[in-house]
Amino acid sequence: MSDDQRDQTPAEPAAEAAAPAQPVVPTGPEPEPIRFFGTTWVNHDGGYGPRRVGVALGALAIAVLGAFLLRFSYEGLEIGNVGAFLSISVVVLFAIASSIAFVKTWESFSRRQAPSSDETALKGLKAIGFIGSLIAYFLRCFVEAPGEKLRRAEYERATAEFARRRGTRTGNPAVRRPKRKK
């Protein structure tokens, strides 16, 4: 056998593959990841602070860019000489859409929407008022990761419930004596 053939022989199976499968012991509920933050919000580690700064600056930069684009669109309407009514209507539409998007985005940081709620009907309006959503992200990053308070409360509730369920289990239920009848 040549040296080239010895180098090409398959490696021995890994020790992990040969070992019998261990039963998975539940360690508790897993935290829900937050967009742009993952699960770093749990312990505020893994670059949590710089991520908050980055998300805040990114949201602000995109909001400013969006405002410039809307300004250029408005100037296009003026150049097109469409009339004062349409120009004012466009400005009012974007202002109302942005304020609704801001409020709905801000509320989504503190409560979950019902699956059949009117939030799905407002997706188009929130897309039009994207500047309001971006400003809500920007402002919320000064306090916490957007949605952290809600997810932390849910995670702590689930952890406490898991600990309570695990703590009440004692012994083998098959060995227990039957309850006495009165």
Side-chain angles (χ1 to χ4, degrees):
M1 188 185 278
S2 71
D3 289 335
D4 291 336
Q5 289 176 336
R6 274 188 237 140
D7 291 340
Q8 295 176 359
T9 57
E12 294 184 21
E16 294 175 7
Q22 297 288 332
V24 177
V25 178
T27 59
E30 294 292 321
E32 183 180 352
I34 297 176
R35 183 183 302 155
F36 305 120
F37 294 93
T39 56
T40 60
W41 60 268
V42 177
N43 296 322
H44 292 188
D45 59 353
Y48 174 79
R51 286 182 190 205
R52 270 183 46 195
V53 171
V55 168
L57 292 177
L60 182 63
I62 294 171
V64 168
L65 180 67
F68 277 123
L69 289 175
L70 290 178
R71 173 70 180 152
F72 293 143
S73 300
Y74 179 76
E75 287 177 1
L77 289 175
E78 285 181 350
I79 292 171
N81 200 16
V82 294
F85 178 74
L86 185 59
S87 296
I88 292 172
S89 297
V90 167
V91 171
V92 170
L93 169 77
F94 276 106
I96 291 172
S98 291
S99 64
I100 290 172
F102 176 86
V103 169
K104 292 300 181 181
T105 303
W106 193 266
E107 287 176 356
S108 72
F109 297 147
S110 60
R111 67 171 176 81
R112 294 237 184 232
Q113 301 100 359
S116 63
S117 71
D118 293 333
E119 294 295 321
T120 55
L122 292 176
K123 281 186 179 181
L125 189 64
K126 287 173 73 174
I128 292 170
F130 66 98
I131 293 177
S133 293
L134 290 169
I135 291 172
Y137 261 88
F138 171 70
L139 294 175
R140 192 58 172 207
C141 283
F142 285 123
V143 179
E144 64 182 5
E148 178 182 347
K149 184 177 181 181
L150 172 67
R151 287 182 176 83
R152 186 172 300 282
E154 290 174 350
Y155 177 66
E156 288 173 355
R157 190 177 323 116
T159 303
E161 184 178 322
F162 178 79
R164 183 184 52 81
R165 281 194 323 251
R166 295 292 293 173
T168 58
R169 296 180 186 170
T170 56
N172 185 354
V175 180
R176 292 185 189 156
R177 288 186 280 168
K179 292 183 181 180
R180 295 185 345 187
K181 294 182 181 178
K182 292 184 180 184

